[in-house]
Amino acid sequence: MDVSYIIDPLNDEQRQAVCAPASNVLVLAGAGSGKTRVLVHRIAWLMQADNISAYSILAVTFTNKAAAEMRGRIERLLGMPSKGLWVGTFHGIAHRLLRAHWKEAELPQSFQIMDSEDQHRAIKRVIREMGLDDKRWVPREVQWWINARKDEGLRSHNIEHRNDNYLQHMVEIYREYEAMCQRNGALDFAELLLRAYDLWVKRPDILQHYQARFQNILVDEFQDTNTIQYAWIKLLAGQTANVFVVGDDDQSIYGWRGAQVENIYRFSKDYQNTSQFRLEQNYRSTGNILGAANALIANNTDRMGKELWTEGSEGELIEIYSAFNEMEEARYIVDKIIAWNEQGGLRSENAILYRSNAQSRVLEEALMQTGTPYRIYGGLRFFERQEIKDALAYLRLIANRADDASFERIVNLPTRGIGNKTVDLVRSYARANDVSMWQACIDLIANGDVTARAASALQFFIDLINTMQQGIENMELYEQIEHVIHHSGLITHYEKEKGEKGRNRIENLEELVNAGRSFEQDDWEESEMDMMSAFLAHASLEAGEGQASEGEDSVQLMTLHSAKGLEFKQVFMAGMEEGLFPHSRSADESGRLEEERRLCYVGMTRAMEKLVMTHAEKRRLYGEETYARPSRFLSEIPEEFVQHVRMQGTATPLTAQSQYSSNPVAEAAPVQLGQRVYHEKFGEGVVLNYEGEGRHARVQVNFDDIGSKWLMMEYANLIV
């Protein structure tokens, strides 16, 4: 069979990695070097050149989007469906294993997946039931702590508190939370992988089955694996599988959520006869951008080492702009984007990256003032929206009456006269008798242990759920969703929320029906799940991963962490200041500064043609105004790659006008301390202070109604 079509599109380094003999392989793939291409072509090579069955291949990545892209590219390259091939995320594949072996994993067949918000509600409930103060034991903090322990492969009984009061309470909350989840047949995201790992440990026969099957394991973004993910792969690989991993230690930026860059360092030690390949040819950025990025990352000491290069042009120098303050910084960035657009470029070819979400406010304001469309990348997504979660809760409770999180969310939504005291009574009974809240309702009504009014309301809810379940039998998936949305009363409920918000909620509910209409189970899904269960699992796994909706040509705003994996023709990195980037917290923990530098490297290598890095001499952030020093990362970029820019201007500070008149006089006069001025939004006030000149000029005005404010003279349009 002619397999040249698999390797012909590849460069020499990519070809060597793809065609490596069957063994353990580590591919160090620099930014923009074609790592996904190598993974896809490696799979095709195994199947076509080495005659390896798709049935023996497992490919793991981190997002559903990446998994879908990989599967699609494999099918296009081979010209046939990838049937039998397992391609998915860690969580998705773990979910598949547990669906296939639910009994051995000690789960009900109809177990449900809790998303982050469902998990938060469950932990709040545990804390309340334990009689603990949720101001001392903050549910969000407890949630983070529990998930971190699961990512480390630790259950509550594995943790020794050593008479530490804080740790003892955390372990007890964790233990009660575990019991509640087991009782309700519910799994959080972190539990998916840990439960699948435990399944293999407790059932060697099941492990041996999958070890015999998956003799070829491929892992993307290996530098982002955490403790349990690394252990999961190692356990599955055993002594015989060939493990092919692709990663870049220079792009390891998720240490704060458990990723361990050390995993990529230890791979060659833990896997015998490992071959190592480097992909250093970059197909994204210009020579100057790559030269600057290489010089920056070279300041990190613990590296496996790469030097990115390109056959493309050197391109423009990196622009480093020094602004007077964050408002001028924002205006400069927006002016550059407007100029780009006026010269024929798309707004969507521009990305503004920042270290802290708090930086976006001023940037958004500058964009709005100029009427420049923008979109926050990574904002609230479809399956995370309130009304969607409400509808999904109805569907989940219909599918699994033991789902207490869904029960609590909708038992009184829309309001049906079931108050907090009644819910507390149901919850207490359920806990005391080790039953679900659904069953507790049935028992309490039968025993006459609730008031007649509460019993009537609870019975109405029980009958509603049962009736809806009967009503959707033999319906298509989208018809089931539509039936439940309407008969639950959610449409009527949100119609009462007047204005744009109410309309948007109803449109979203209608879109959920469309989601059901277009939903198809993955062709690799071999379990016997019905379509509704598959859809609910899909909703949980996809929550938080949906990409920004297509629409108007818009500037993209995002944190540096969100930018990983993306590319844009023109990139702005705002707030390049000490204490902001690198973040002030980076000085407190070992290795944090190097991770901050890797984050800077990731940001720089998002740029294809033009990179602009900006900093402000002073910045108001978190309610305080500080004088900032330029980031050390800027000084680590050699001068040969940069040009420094500082705006020069002689704009008149204030146009003299007749008393609160909109008609300017011919002469321009500087602002005077003590002068009365008028602002269209803030009203009348007195000038207290004035500083700077030209475009840097700003004025402090004590307004009669709202107090003191600093304003940029260029934009204030004050009238004297």
Side-chain angles (χ1 to χ4, degrees), residues 343-374:
Q343 292 165 13
L346 297 174
R347 299 185 190 95
S348 58
E349 295 170 336
N350 293 266
I352 308 175
L353 313 182
Y354 37 82
R355 178 64 181 85
S356 168
N357 268 311
Q359 291 173 253
S360 75
R361 185 189 63 80
V362 175
L363 293 162
E364 291 183 67
E365 195 172 275
L367 288 160
M368 286 188 289
Q369 285 176 349
T370 58
T372 305
Y374 71 93

Side-chain angles (χ1 to χ4, degrees), residues 95 98-99 102 105-115 118 122 125 150 176-188 191-192 195 396-397 399-406 434-437 533 536 540:
H95 170 250
L98 295 175
R99 287 291 178 194
W102 56 271
E106 300 176 2
L107 291 167
Q109 188 173 10
S110 60
F111 74 83
Q112 297 293 320
I113 305 170
M114 295 188 294
D115 64 15
D118 291 333
R125 190 162 66 249
K150 289 190 177 188
E176 291 298 317
Y177 170 71
E178 285 180 306
M180 171 185 283
C181 290
Q182 186 65 29
R183 190 166 59 245
N184 295 343
L187 277 67
D188 56 52
E191 180 69 18
L192 283 171
R195 185 68 67 104
R396 288 195 173 104
L397 191 61
N400 175 20
R401 300 294 199 277
D403 188 340
D404 283 359
S406 295
D434 198 26
V435 296
S436 68
M437 294 181 72
S533 296
L536 292 173
S540 294

Side-chain angles (χ1 to χ4, degrees), residues 374-493:
Y374 71 93
R375 186 162 54 243
I376 302 287
Y377 183 91
L380 201 60
R381 298 173 172 95
F382 184 76
F383 286 111
E384 297 173 323
R385 294 170 187 165
Q386 176 184 321
E387 59 278 10
I388 299 303
K389 289 171 71 68
D390 293 341
L392 291 175
Y394 271 99
L395 295 170
R396 288 195 173 104
L397 191 61
I398 290 171
N400 175 20
R401 300 294 199 277
D403 188 340
D404 283 359
S406 295
F407 179 97
E408 284 210 54
R409 184 178 187 95
I410 60 172
V411 68
N412 198 40
L413 180 74
T415 54
R416 50 179 64 92
I418 301 173
N420 291 335
K421 287 185 178 179
T422 301
V423 175
D424 288 341
L425 177 62
V426 172
R427 188 187 302 112
S428 298
Y429 181 93
R431 178 174 175 78
N433 293 275
D434 198 26
V435 296
S436 68
M437 294 181 72
W438 175 272
Q439 186 60 46
C441 283
I442 296 172
D443 293 350
L444 287 168
I445 294 170
N447 298 336
D449 292 335
V450 289
T451 64
R453 182 177 178 182
S456 175
L458 290 172
Q459 189 63 55
F460 176 85
F461 179 67
I462 290 170
D463 292 341
L464 174 66
I465 298 297
N466 289 334
T467 301
M468 284 195 293
Q469 182 178 29
Q470 295 167 6
I472 62 176
E473 288 179 3
N474 302 318
M475 283 185 175
E476 295 291 334
L477 175 62
Y478 77 92
E479 294 174 320
Q480 295 181 43
I481 297 169
E482 187 173 44
H483 181 93
V484 169
I485 286 173
H486 283 276
H487 286 79
S488 65
L490 287 176
I491 293 288
T492 304
H493 172 72

